[in-house]
Amino acid sequence: MEKTAKEKEVIAIALRVLGQLKFQYGNTKEHLEFMDAMYSEKRKMYDGKEWSHYSVDFSHDVFGIPTPYYCIVDAETMKVKGILTDHGVFEIIYNDKGEAKDKKFISPSFPYDKQ
């Protein structure tokens, strides 16, 4: 199925942030064609707030096993807010220029405001 212009834009934003973080992911032509951007409206997120977002799926090899990850892109600001894994979220930290410079792990086991 052909991706819409918005989906392509969201995927490009996610790829740029993954590149800035030097985050390893499957970046072959097949992997990139498999990437999808799915829109969700007003869902409760890891920070306890409700916001609309896009989820961009990609895979990351962990010990040779492809593991699914998701970039969470805020639909309002079009910024990647986090990378969702099966064990928590890596919240993205940006510098003054708006470039992704680091990530902070957020555990689902502890209140967000205490991390």
Side-chain angles (χ1 to χ4, degrees), residues 10-91:
V10 171
I11 291 169
I13 290 167
L15 290 173
R16 184 178 66 244
V17 168
L18 291 173
Q20 290 170 347
L21 293 172
K22 296 177 180 32
F23 198 92
Q24 293 181 359
Y25 63 95
N27 60 357
T28 66
K29 185 178 179 186
E30 289 174 337
H31 284 109
L32 297 175
E33 287 176 359
F34 177 76
M35 290 178 95
D36 233 352
M38 296 175 288
Y39 179 74
S40 296
E41 190 169 340
K42 297 288 184 190
R43 287 189 56 199
K44 189 170 185 177
M45 299 302 290
Y46 62 88
D47 59 2
K49 298 176 184 170
E50 281 189 5
W51 38 279
S52 299
H53 70 281
Y54 290 92
S55 296
V56 177
D57 56 343
F58 65 98
S59 66
H60 173 70
D61 283 350
V62 178
F63 303 115
I65 301 168
T67 305
Y69 282 61
Y70 305 89
C71 281
I72 307 298
V73 182
D74 186 313
E76 188 176 315
T77 64
M78 294 304 286
K79 267 185 127 172
V80 177
K81 289 185 80 170
I83 299 171
L84 180 65
T85 71
D86 58 351
H87 56 277
V89 175
F90 289 105
E91 190 170 58

Side-chain angles (χ1 to χ4, degrees), residues 89-102:
V89 175
F90 289 105
E91 190 170 58
I92 307 301
I93 300 167
Y94 291 91
N95 64 16
D96 297 341
K97 297 176 187 173
E99 299 167 339
K101 67 172 190 150
D102 205 355

